[in-house]
Each structure stands twice: as structure tokens, then as C-alpha cells.
Amino acid sequence: MTHPPHDSSPSYATYPWQPVTPPPTPPTPPPAPRATPRHPALGHHRDLRVLRTAYRRQRRVATLTALGYFTLFLLLSACAPSLMNGTVSGGLTTGLLLGLVQLPVMCVAIALYEFTARRRLDQLAARLRKLAELEAGRG
């Protein structure tokens, strides 16, 4: 009695959790070389780095101005209570005056932030936006 060869029957997975091997895929041809753009990529554009740096610097200055004044107020309150209890005029103490001046300092920091953003940063951002639109229309 002859037995059929071992390869004659299809092989089945012994265990149901074994992964099914996908059929081999034909190799894909390499992509066609693209012409190099005349302008650098927008993410690596020099003006974009300048814009990011300027916004970062502007945020730091505005934040440190407001927080610096508040920290100075707290330090004077903790370390120099006699100075803060001194009378400026009438019943107004130095501590109360410095506390009331804190709101105008915050408003000045916000106003300077907006002024410098409109004067310098918005022009650069508009130029980059126009460049991005030109790149999108060309591609």
C-alpha cells in the first residue's frame, strides 16, 4: 500500500490563533524623481523660524513683565512689611497703591504685546501665508 506524498494535501493552520501569512506582494517601482523646488520647504523657511522666535520672545517679555511685578509685590509684602504699611497720602498705604497699580501694569503688558504683534509680527505672518498659498497653488 502506497501512501500519498506529504505535500499532496493543503496545509491548514494547526491552531486558530496562528497569524495568516499574507501572499507576497510584487515589488513597487521606485518613485519618480521630483524636481527640486525653487523655494525651501515652508516648515524650514527662514522667515518661519524668525516668526516663531519673535512670538516666543514676545510672550516671554509680556509674561515676565506681569509676573515680575506681581512677584516683586509679593516679596515686598513678605520681606518689607514696614515699607508696605507706610502711608502715601491720606489713608492710602504703599502696599495698597502697589496692588492697585498691578492692573495698569497688566494692561500695559497686553497693549505692548498687541502693538508689537501688529507692527512687526503680523506683516511677517502675512508674507508667509501668501508664500504658503503660492506653494499650494503651484503644487
Side-chain angles (χ1 to χ4, degrees), residues 3-11:
H3 295 288
H6 183 39
D7 295 337
S8 66
S9 65
S11 62

Side-chain angles (χ1 to χ4, degrees), residues 66-128:
L67 287 178
Y69 184 82
F70 182 68
T71 304
L72 176 69
F73 176 76
L74 289 179
L75 286 174
L76 285 175
S77 296
C79 299
S82 60
L83 173 72
M84 298 297 270
N85 286 330
T87 305
V88 176
S89 70
L92 188 64
T93 63
T94 308
L96 184 57
L97 179 66
L98 290 176
L100 291 173
V101 169
Q102 190 168 358
L103 182 64
V105 167
M106 297 276 270
C107 291
V108 166
I110 292 169
L112 283 174
Y113 182 89
E114 287 185 9
F115 174 75
T116 56
R118 284 193 183 114
R119 191 169 144 238
R120 295 192 343 225
L121 300 177
D122 285 350
Q123 294 172 359
L124 186 58
R127 189 170 70 199
L128 282 171

Side-chain angles (χ1 to χ4, degrees), residues 10-88:
S11 62
Y12 298 102
T14 308
Y15 303 105
W17 57 83
Q18 285 181 331
V20 177
T21 56
T25 57
T28 57
R34 290 183 49 162
T36 56
R38 290 187 332 212
H39 303 289
L42 192 60
H44 301 291
H45 201 277
R46 180 186 167 279
D47 288 342
L48 190 58
R49 284 195 310 266
V50 169
L51 183 66
R52 284 184 194 134
T53 304
Y55 269 126
R56 191 176 306 126
R57 184 181 317 124
Q58 189 179 20
R59 284 191 311 261
R60 285 179 186 159
V61 168
T63 302
L64 290 177
T65 300
L67 287 178
Y69 184 82
F70 182 68
T71 304
L72 176 69
F73 176 76
L74 289 179
L75 286 174
L76 285 175
S77 296
C79 299
S82 60
L83 173 72
M84 298 297 270
N85 286 330
T87 305
V88 176

